[in-house]
């Protein structure tokens, strides 16, 4: 009777709260007797304790609530929908063996960094650029592999030289996995290079070749399109000039026997420099009065023929050989640099003779100018 009197005005289930912790007390009637169950959640598990008297049940509930509230949040009471959400989260994370607090920390960090972008969107973007099924490859390793492959495929020495010049520059600028290189980064690098527009476009072309090779080797996804964001530069510096007969005569006078066939074909046939470098004497068909530029040697990858005019025929017949390249220089650009110096020296000598300046005085004047520069 004492117990019933103490319980008289209490509505069950009743709760004992301490901070955010709640412990509930339930009453059960069995005939003339009654029992009181103290219930709470700890570590996701429901804990129960039964008492025959309400006073003892209440004391136990209060002690439990105080204890749980003082455990520095290491024990959390979950009820209803919160408990179900916790259990679903725990089941999902158990599959990848990640603690729930680690998952919450990583998610919060990602959302703070991403701002309004959804985490799933960021993951899809990353996987598109760096798919998990693709092996990460550094830019340098792909460059080395590409040059090795082109060498094995029998690419021309001139073509390989151009790759060996451009691609190592790209690898040095982007010391990372190839999948992490972005179009805007390439654009900034080219703009900051200080190179001429045509050279910048050549570097872009080398990067395009590298990305396509990486896709063919499955180091990048097929839809990788970062290079599409790198625009070609308008080349306004390449003004085409026409040499006068006197200027062309100067070039031939200073060119030397090994360079004359190259100069003659460029001057009188209008063939591209790179194509001339690939020509063999067997491509010069004197009997048909044509130059045959085969598809493998043409920039457009299509065969064509160029007529041999009388002026070109005269120069080529002086240097005619049965076989071999018509230009034996690997670095034609450097030879034209030397040719330019010889032409300028010849012009200075002619000027000195016309103005009565001795060779010694001309040399002294030239050294003085070089020191001022």
């Amino acid at each position: 009777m004492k117990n019933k009197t103490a319980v008289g005005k209490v509505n069950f289930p009743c709760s004992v709260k301490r901070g955010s912790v709640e412990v509930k007390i339930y009453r059960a009637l069995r005939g003339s007797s009654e029992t009181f169950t103290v219930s709470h959640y700890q570590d996701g598990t429901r804990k129960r304790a039964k008492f025959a008297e309400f006073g003892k049940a209440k004391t136990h509930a209060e002690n439990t609530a105080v204890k749980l509230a003082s455990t520095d949040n290491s024990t959390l009471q979950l009820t209803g929908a919160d408990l179900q959400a916790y259990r679903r989260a725990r089941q999902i994370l158990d599959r990848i063996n990640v603690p729930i607090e680690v998952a919450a920390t990583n998610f919060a960090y990602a959302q703070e960094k991403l701002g309004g972008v959804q985490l799933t969107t960021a993951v899809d973007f990353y996987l598109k650029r760096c798919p998990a099924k693709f092996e990460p490859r550094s830019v340098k390793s792909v460059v080395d592999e590409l040059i090795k492959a082109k060498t094995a495929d029998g690419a021309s020495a001139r073509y390989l030289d151009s790759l060996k010049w451009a691609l190592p520059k790209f690898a040095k600028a982007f010391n990372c996995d190839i999948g992490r290189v972005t179009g805007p980064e390439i654009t900034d690098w080219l703009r900051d290079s200080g190179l001429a527009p045509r050279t910048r476009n050549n570097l872009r072309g080398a990067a395009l070749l590298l990305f396509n090779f990486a896709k063919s080797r499955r180091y990048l996804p097929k839809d990788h399109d970062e290079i599409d964001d790198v625009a070609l530069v308008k080349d306004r510096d390449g003004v085409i000039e026409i040499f006068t007969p006197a200027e062309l005569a100067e070039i031939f006078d200073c060119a030397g026997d090994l360079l004359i066939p190259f100069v003659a074909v460029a001057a009188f046939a209008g063939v591209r420099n790179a194509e001339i470098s690939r020509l063999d004497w067997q491509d010069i068909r004197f009997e048909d009065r044509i130059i045959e530029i085969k598809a493998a040697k043409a920039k457009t990858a299509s065969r064509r023929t160029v007529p041999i005019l009388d002026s070109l025929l005269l120069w080529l017949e002086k240097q005619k050989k049965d076989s071999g390249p018509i230009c034996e220089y690997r670095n034609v650009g450097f030879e034209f640099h030397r040719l330019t110096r010889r032409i300028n020296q010849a012009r200075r000598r002619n000027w000195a003779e016309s103005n009565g300046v001795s060779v010694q005085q001309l040399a002294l004047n030239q050294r003085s100018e070089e020191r001022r520069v």
Side-chain angles (χ1 to χ4, degrees):
M1 295 298 296
K2 180 179 179 182
N3 188 40
K4 292 183 179 180
T5 303
V7 177
K9 296 183 179 180
V10 178
N11 294 320
F12 291 95
C14 63
S15 299
V16 175
K17 293 185 177 181
R18 295 294 184 271
S20 61
V21 176
E22 181 180 18
V23 179
K24 290 190 175 184
I25 303 174
Y26 297 86
R27 184 176 65 171
L29 295 175
R30 291 183 179 179
S32 60
S33 64
E34 57 184 357
T35 58
F36 302 89
T37 301
V38 178
S39 175
H40 68 278
Y41 284 89
Q42 185 174 354
D43 297 331
T45 304
R46 189 174 185 181
K47 306 289 186 180
R48 297 183 179 88
K50 292 186 177 182
F51 299 89
E53 297 179 6
F54 174 70
K56 292 181 179 180
K58 184 176 181 183
T59 300
H60 179 78
E62 291 173 343
N63 292 337
T64 300
V66 171
K67 182 179 178 180
L68 293 177
S70 63
T71 54
D72 195 22
N73 296 325
S74 61
T75 302
L76 178 65
Q77 180 184 14
L78 298 175
T79 58
D82 289 340
L83 178 59
Q84 293 179 7
Y86 172 83
R87 287 175 174 171
R88 287 197 301 270
R90 186 67 271 160
Q91 290 173 354
I92 294 171
L93 294 173
D94 283 344
R95 296 202 300 264
I96 56 176
N97 195 29
V98 174
I100 194 167
E101 65 273 14
V102 173
T105 300
N106 291 342
F107 180 82
Y109 173 82
Q111 286 302 131
E112 288 176 358
K113 291 291 184 180
L114 292 171
V117 179
Q118 291 295 321
L119 180 59
T120 52
T121 302
V123 170
D124 291 340
F125 176 78
Y126 175 83
L127 291 178
K128 179 181 178 181
R129 293 173 48 76
C130 305
K133 63 181 179 180
F134 290 108
E135 180 182 354
R137 289 295 182 105
S138 68
V139 174
K140 184 180 183 305
S141 67
V142 181
V143 167
D144 293 342
E145 191 173 341
L146 170 59
I147 293 176
K148 183 178 179 180
K150 291 297 183 182
T151 302
D153 291 342
S156 68
R158 181 181 178 86
Y159 180 66
L160 290 174
D161 285 342
S162 67
L163 293 183
K164 292 176 182 178
W165 176 83
L167 292 177
K169 292 182 182 292
F170 188 80
K172 184 177 179 180
F174 299 98
N175 185 22
C176 61
D177 290 345
I178 192 168
R180 295 183 180 275
V181 182
T182 67
E185 290 174 339
I186 300 174
T187 298
D188 292 341
W189 171 62
L190 291 174
R191 284 174 178 167
D192 296 339
S193 66
L195 298 172
R198 180 172 297 180
T199 305
R200 287 171 56 181
N201 288 337
N202 289 341
L203 286 173
R204 180 193 181 277
L208 173 61
L209 175 69
L210 184 67
F211 285 133
N212 287 338
F213 177 78
K215 287 191 284 187
S216 71
R217 302 294 294 177
R218 298 188 182 278
Y219 304 148
L220 291 174
K222 291 294 184 182
D223 59 353
H224 185 277
D225 57 0
E226 289 298 322
I227 196 65
D228 294 344
D229 295 332
V230 183
L232 289 168
V233 184
K234 292 184 178 179
D235 185 5
R236 296 189 175 92
D237 298 329
V239 178
I240 299 176
E241 298 182 1
I242 299 176
F243 291 113
T244 65
E247 291 171 335
L248 194 55
E250 281 185 305
I251 294 174
F252 278 112
D253 288 341
C254 299
D257 291 345
L258 292 179
L259 196 58
I260 280 179
F262 189 103
V263 174
V265 174
F268 300 121
V271 180
R272 297 180 179 91
N273 289 355
E275 294 174 337
I276 300 174
S277 297
R278 303 185 189 112
L279 286 178
D280 190 275
W281 281 106
Q282 294 180 346
D283 298 322
I284 312 297
R285 293 162 50 177
F286 289 94
E287 66 282 2
D288 298 323
R289 296 286 296 269
I290 63 171
I291 299 174
E292 181 184 11
I293 303 177
K294 299 174 182 177
K297 300 179 180 181
K299 180 180 180 180
T300 57
S302 59
R303 177 186 176 276
R304 73 180 191 278
T305 59
V306 180
I308 299 177
L309 304 179
D310 292 339
S311 54
L312 175 58
L313 181 63
L314 291 173
W315 285 105
L316 291 179
E317 284 184 333
K318 294 179 182 180
Q319 308 294 331
K320 181 179 178 181
K321 296 181 181 179
D322 293 334
S323 62
I326 70 167
C327 179
E328 299 182 14
Y329 294 113
R330 289 190 63 178
N331 192 339
V332 181
F334 179 70
E335 294 305 320
F336 272 99
H337 172 70
R338 296 177 60 185
L339 173 61
T340 302
R341 293 183 61 182
R342 292 196 294 270
I343 292 173
N344 289 333
Q345 291 171 354
R347 286 180 175 179
R348 282 193 291 268
R349 287 195 297 270
N350 292 336
W351 175 86
E353 292 175 2
S354 301
N355 291 274
V357 179
S358 66
V359 176
Q360 293 80 5
Q361 185 61 44
L362 179 64
L364 289 174
N365 292 343
Q366 182 176 351
R367 285 196 293 270
S368 177
E369 291 177 1
E370 291 174 352
R371 283 195 296 269
R372 285 198 298 270
V373 174

